[in-house]
Amino acid sequence: MNRVAAPLTLLALLAWLAAGTALAADDPDAAFEFDDFPLENLLQYPTWFKKSFLDLREDLEDAKAENKQGIIVYFGQRRCAYCKMLMEVNFKLTDIVTYTRRHFDVIPIDIWSPEEMTDPAGNEMSQRQFAVRMGTNFTPSLLFYDTEGRLA
């Protein structure tokens, strides 16, 4: 497993476990009733996600100017049930949201989008090409970059 895939796999597993734990707290059988079929309605990002022009170099500069530790690039799909769970469970927890917003800007990337973007090194490509290059073949996935543009 490469250097990027191991943390992503762990993060996906933690998100899945957290979702199941939150559901099981109300109903012990709820964790087994998770519907992972594609969503009928498009997923909406939290309002605190950064409104980016998809130039990650500029996003890193903004984070640095705000004394943040860097950016989090969120890779998702607008009809992804697991992404919805991340938004509705993990990103609704006050401690996670407070910590994340204080230390990072979150930039959403749609793994299927043909929309152009610029990576931290200045390379231009589609969001889809970036997702493939970064090996984010499971959604949701999060990559952390420090203010120097290094993958953490």
Side-chain angles (χ1 to χ4, degrees):
M1 193 172 289
N2 68 33
R3 191 180 88 158
V4 174
L8 294 177
T9 303
L10 177 61
L11 182 61
L13 176 62
L14 290 174
W16 180 77
L17 289 173
T21 301
L23 291 172
D26 295 332
D27 178 3
D29 294 326
F32 301 106
E33 296 174 8
F34 176 69
D35 180 1
D36 66 350
F37 286 100
L39 304 175
E40 288 185 30
N41 298 318
L42 293 179
L43 179 66
Q44 299 298 312
Y45 300 129
T47 57
W48 52 270
F49 272 29
K50 183 172 170 106
K51 309 299 186 263
S52 173
F53 289 110
L54 298 177
D55 185 333
L56 298 184
R57 296 171 306 173
E58 290 178 6
D59 295 325
L60 285 164
E61 288 301 318
D62 291 347
K64 192 177 205 176
E66 295 171 13
N67 293 317
K68 294 187 177 185
Q69 292 178 355
I71 62 172
I72 298 173
V73 179
Y74 159 82
F75 293 87
Q77 303 176 68
R78 297 304 284 244
R79 294 191 186 277
C80 169
Y82 297 99
C83 299
K84 180 180 178 187
M85 291 300 292
L86 177 66
M87 300 303 158
E88 292 184 355
V89 175
N90 302 77
F91 285 159
K92 294 279 183 172
L93 295 172
T94 305
D95 56 340
I96 291 175
V97 173
T98 300
Y99 181 86
T100 302
R101 292 181 73 184
R102 181 179 300 135
H103 297 285
F104 301 95
D105 286 330
V106 180
I107 317 304
I109 298 291
D110 182 332
I111 68 162
W112 299 109
S113 176
E115 186 177 357
E116 291 293 310
M117 59 157 301
T118 304
D119 75 3
N123 302 307
E124 294 181 9
M125 66 197 78
S126 72
Q127 292 179 55
R128 173 71 185 146
Q129 290 168 320
F130 184 56
V132 168
R133 191 180 82 191
M134 299 311 295
T136 56
N137 55 2
F138 183 84
T139 59
S141 292
L142 302 171
L143 293 181
F144 294 75
Y145 287 92
D146 67 15
T147 55
E148 302 306 315
R150 294 182 301 248
L151 193 57

